[in-house]
Amino acid sequence: MHGGPNRNMETVNRGIVTMVTAPPILFLLLFFSLHVSGLPGNPRPAPRVHLSFKELLDTRTIRPFSFSFNTSDYRILLMDQDQGRLYLGSREYLVALDMQNINKEPLIIHWPVSSQRKAECRLTGKGGQGECANFVRLIEPWNRTHLYTCGTGAYKPICTFINRGWRAEEYLFRLVPGFVDSGKGKCSYDPHQEAAAALINGNLYAGVHVDFMGTDSAIFRTLGDRPAVRTEQYDSRWLNEPVFVKIQRIPDSTERNDDKLYFFFREKSLDATGGASPTVLARVGRVCLNDDGGQRSLVNKWTTFLKAHLVCSVIGGDDGVETYFHELRDVFIQSTQDERNPVVYAVFSSTGSVFKGSAVCVYSMADIRNVFNGPFSHKQGHSYQWTPYTGKIPYPRPGTCPGGTFTPGFRSTKAFSDQAVNFVRAHPLMYHPVYPVHRRPLVVRTGVDYRFTTIAVDQVDAVDGRYEVLFLGTDRGTVQKVIVLPKDPSTTEELILEEVEVFRIPAPVKTMKISSKRQQLYVSSERGLTQVSLHRCAVYGKACSDCCLARDPYCAWDGENCAWANPLSSY
Ligand SMILES: *[C@@H]1O[C@H](CO)[C@@H](O)[C@H](O)[C@H]1NC(C)=O
Ligand SMILES: *[C@@H]1O[C@H](CO)[C@@H](O)[C@H](O)[C@H]1NC(C)=O
């Protein structure tokens, strides 16, 4: 792949091979502070390079969005690779940005609520912290020329279309005049409530709170030609005060009727008794995209809804105590050649004030499907333990889609038997949990004074192989760039290549989007948005050895400098 005179040099520069050039002791001193934190045997790695916001600016590898207007809550980011635009949704504003340079001629839509609506909102006693405004909570592609967007509308969610034209050169970005859709079931009322949504084949699937009080949470399907369907209302077996993190379509087979929607969330545990059991659990759930609800029961409710526990834990120390990370924060789905088997990266933090920690766990779709194909969880009465259900399981097996590979005889979920439908209603939870790949986290951070909030992953092809580079946003406004290398068959070694302060005003990272094509990361917080290059090789130093020791898979010594090794440039 990399030809030319520097070929051998590059091979040495990229990654593991470098180890032989540095004596092991020196190597340890360079890369690890040897403090042993909460989990013995798990040294806390220190970043190779730490850059303050100002130092980062000096590298000319970032651009903070500097257009000033009165907004906040830069939460919603949507990348449009075709038009080369990044769409931003914040408080009362929608902005179309140039992905190459987010400060170049942004197109701005002001989308406030009327002063009458604002007044009505205040009359209900809401808005003590400025919530009586339109917080944009959803921007999804609708068709070649239009986007669909929703906002909280001062506790009365609203949606509409945005015309963005056929091509970026048209500089078109405006709301479709006179059109307002109800946002109920698409967008939460309360801007503090997290939601997740995806627009698929003209249908909007959203995990939201659907009432003014914020007590009725559901996974909703609205818009489009399929019937509106939701999760069972006020049934804590289905959803128990959930916080939705991510929704994504993942095909299960080549048969389109088998297509499923997977959603990742955390929720209150039903068994939280104040004792040893956790109060919050991470979940993966799914429904069939072609679920149209039941005929006699579960009318307009999902009849294929199932969920499972996502485990992320580590056994630490000599006492072998298992530390669990339950608070699912963010999910990044890395696509692969096989669209049925993307890799699921998830960021967790620990609950409770006792110790502050985070972890990254990786899950395979094969493991997730195995759990959904396994036993259902069953509980007789409230005082009993969960057990695997051993009775007769109705046909088609609950969770199977109509018209799919194993159910060609069923045209719709309305044709499912009452037993099958009632079984799902009472048994939405799988018995086995989903464990991460290798049964342990990829990254663990304990004994530090920050938590991870977000994750994005890039695949980098270097001469000595493919690297998965993790970008981890923190609650202190930084992004860490991390690689994990195999050390011997059973252990791995984590390297924090850099930690950079991405905001002028430090604030927890809220949303991150990555574009490998443009080699950029877009990072937002309550107060701002910043575009950060995936690499700044020059900071590692001016000498070949500095470049080598950095072991950053993006960088290679080109004979004069430590520079980005663009895999395309050597063709
Ligand atoms: C900015 O918007 C907030 C919320 O709508 C409002 O309270 C504040 O007065 C505005 N500030 C300026 C300078 O207009
Ligand atoms: C896209 O959808 C909008 C809103 O429904 C419609 O007005 C427009 O004609 C559509 N454009 C195309 C290219 O289909």
Side-chain angles (χ1 to χ4, degrees):
M1 202 167 147
H2 290 261
N6 294 319
R7 186 180 183 174
N8 291 334
M9 207 60 190
E10 281 187 15
T11 315
V12 176
N13 287 342
R14 312 293 191 86
I16 314 165
V17 195
T18 323
M19 279 188 69
V20 298
T21 64
I25 291 296
L26 170 67
F27 184 75
L28 269 176
L29 290 176
L30 271 172
F31 292 106
F32 296 97
S33 66
L34 293 171
H35 305 155
V36 176
S37 57
L39 297 169
N42 178 52
R44 186 197 316 167
R48 173 87 172 85
V49 167
H50 183 108
L51 298 178
S52 68
F53 180 74
K54 202 180 154 298
E55 289 166 330
L56 188 57
L57 271 183
D58 289 342
T59 65
R60 297 170 172 270
T61 56
I62 77 160
R63 282 196 178 93
F65 183 50
S66 61
F67 200 84
S68 77
F69 49 103
N70 187 8
T71 191
S72 61
D73 202 309
Y74 294 67
R75 186 174 306 200
I76 303 300
L77 297 177
L78 172 72
M79 290 189 299
D80 178 349
Q81 298 282 4
D82 293 338
Q83 289 205 5
R85 286 184 182 185
L86 177 74
Y87 302 110
L88 160 71
S90 63
R91 178 174 49 79
E92 306 208 318
Y93 284 90
L94 294 152
V95 190
L97 305 161
D98 186 326
M99 285 179 78
Q100 210 59 50
N101 175 358
I102 60 170
N103 288 321
K104 190 183 153 201
E105 299 166 337
L107 304 174
I108 297 167
I109 295 172
H110 188 205
W111 191 27
V113 286
S114 65
S115 48
Q116 189 196 341
R117 177 64 220 150
K118 240 175 212 176
E120 285 166 8
C121 175
R122 289 207 189 96
L123 277 181
T124 66
K126 299 283 186 185
Q129 284 139 43
E131 295 93 338
C132 287
N134 187 30
F135 290 81
V136 176
R137 282 295 177 262
L138 178 150
I139 306 175
E140 287 284 303
W142 175 255
N143 60 22
R144 294 288 305 279
T145 54
H146 286 65
L147 305 168
Y148 193 71
T149 184
C150 301
T152 59
Y155 277 88
K156 192 178 182 190
I158 46 171
C159 301
T160 189
F161 291 104
I162 303 168
N163 188 351
R164 43 116 184 224
W166 290 94
R167 292 170 304 117
E169 297 78 62
E170 291 174 48
Y171 290 100
L172 185 61
F173 191 63
R174 60 165 181 252
L175 296 180
V176 169
F179 181 84
V180 185
D181 220 355
S182 163
K184 201 173 161 68
K186 303 170 186 170
C187 175
S188 293
Y189 287 64
D190 180 345
H192 301 297
Q193 280 172 334
E194 302 286 337
L199 220 166
I200 303 159
N201 305 330
N203 295 113
L204 185 72
Y205 298 82
V208 289
H209 289 82
V210 293
D211 62 333
F212 178 80
M213 296 302 288
T215 54
D216 181 17
S217 47
I219 293 160
F220 245 90
R221 181 175 65 209
T222 52
L223 282 177
D225 48 12
R226 289 205 165 266
V229 170
R230 59 164 291 168
T231 41
E232 183 79 306
Q233 196 172 21
Y234 300 125
D235 185 334
S236 56
R237 290 175 301 183
W238 286 44
L239 295 172
N240 193 24
E241 298 180 29
V243 176
F244 297 100
V245 168
K246 180 100 183 166
I247 292 192
Q248 173 124 345
R249 180 188 81 98
I250 303 173
D252 260 0
S253 73
T254 48
E255 168 58 59
R256 282 286 90 107
N257 281 331
D258 285 329
D259 279 5
K260 294 187 179 66
L261 188 76
Y262 285 83
F263 31 88
F264 298 86
F265 60 105
R266 58 179 196 265
E267 66 175 344
K268 215 169 121 186
S269 163
L270 276 181
D271 306 311
T273 51
S277 39
T279 53
V280 172
L281 292 173
R283 300 286 194 200
V284 52
R286 69 179 201 188
V287 293
C288 293
L289 283 185
N290 65 1
D291 190 337
D292 288 342
Q295 183 67 25
R296 273 175 296 274
S297 55
L298 292 185
V299 177
N300 293 327
K301 311 275 168 64
W302 302 109
T303 60
T304 55
F305 173 85
L306 296 176
K307 66 178 181 181
H309 178 197
L310 268 187
V311 173
C312 185
S313 68
V314 65
I315 295 177
D318 305 327
D319 49 1
V321 171
E322 194 157 11
T323 303
Y324 284 89
F325 301 89
H326 288 301
E327 293 229 14
L328 181 65
R329 294 277 160 200
D330 193 23
V331 167
F332 181 85
I333 298 183
Q334 173 83 64
S335 52
T336 64
Q337 298 283 350
D338 178 0
E339 64 162 350
R340 291 166 298 180
N341 289 303
V343 182
V344 177
Y345 289 83
V347 162
F348 296 81
S349 58
S350 54
T351 24
S353 50
V354 184
F355 95 121
K356 208 167 178 178
S358 332
V360 177
C361 276
V362 185
Y363 303 91
S364 79
M365 285 309 297
D367 289 344
I368 291 175
R369 288 191 187 101
N370 274 340
V371 167
F372 283 115
N373 292 335
F376 296 92
S377 221
H378 185 71
K379 196 178 199 178
Q380 220 133 30
H382 274 287
S383 50
Y384 291 85
Q385 292 288 316
W386 292 100
T387 55
Y389 181 80
T390 51
K392 192 171 175 299
I393 290 173
Y395 177 82
R397 184 188 153 88
T400 319
C401 307
T405 314
F406 301 108
T407 48
F410 291 88
R411 285 180 50 207
S412 157
T413 50
K414 290 191 192 300
F416 285 174
S417 69
D418 289 350
Q419 287 133 293
V421 171
N422 288 330
F423 186 91
V424 162
R425 182 203 288 263
H427 300 94
L429 178 65
M430 304 316 296
Y431 180 67
H432 291 301
V434 181
Y435 289 101
V437 173
H438 302 312
R439 287 232 171 188
R440 59 164 188 258
L442 185 65
V443 172
V444 178
R445 250 351 111 67
T446 54
V448 294
D449 59 356
Y450 60 88
R451 286 192 175 113
F452 293 140
T453 56
T454 49
I455 181 166
V457 181
D458 190 25
Q459 288 184 332
V460 184
D461 286 309
V463 175
D464 55 353
R466 170 166 285 191
Y467 289 83
E468 310 286 329
V469 183
L470 310 182
F471 293 89
L472 296 162
T474 71
D475 61 359
R476 59 177 179 188
T478 62
V479 174
Q480 293 187 358
K481 179 158 114 181
V482 171
I483 54 172
V484 179
L485 303 171
K487 209 166 163 189
D488 53 60
S490 64
T491 56
T492 53
E493 168 188 24
E494 181 200 333
L495 293 183
I496 308 176
L497 299 170
E498 63 173 18
E499 178 164 17
V500 293
E501 293 175 12
V502 291
F503 303 120
R504 184 167 280 126
I505 308 160
V509 173
K510 190 77 206 162
T511 310
M512 274 189 338
K513 296 282 171 192
I514 191 166
S515 170
S516 299
K517 188 176 162 188
R518 292 177 172 79
Q519 299 282 297
Q520 299 291 323
L521 187 71
Y522 305 93
V523 191
S524 78
S525 75
E526 175 68 25
R527 305 287 294 274
L529 167 68
T530 298
Q531 164 188 4
V532 191
S533 170
L534 301 184
H535 40 77
R536 51 208 114 260
C537 301
V539 303
Y540 294 126
K542 293 224 184 308
C544 171
S545 59
D546 296 332
C547 201
C548 297
L549 282 170
R551 303 210 290 174
D552 185 325
Y554 290 102
C555 305
W557 180 254
D558 68 4
E560 283 173 35
N561 294 299
C562 196
W564 178 38
N566 183 354
L568 296 177
S569 68
S570 50
Y571 286 112

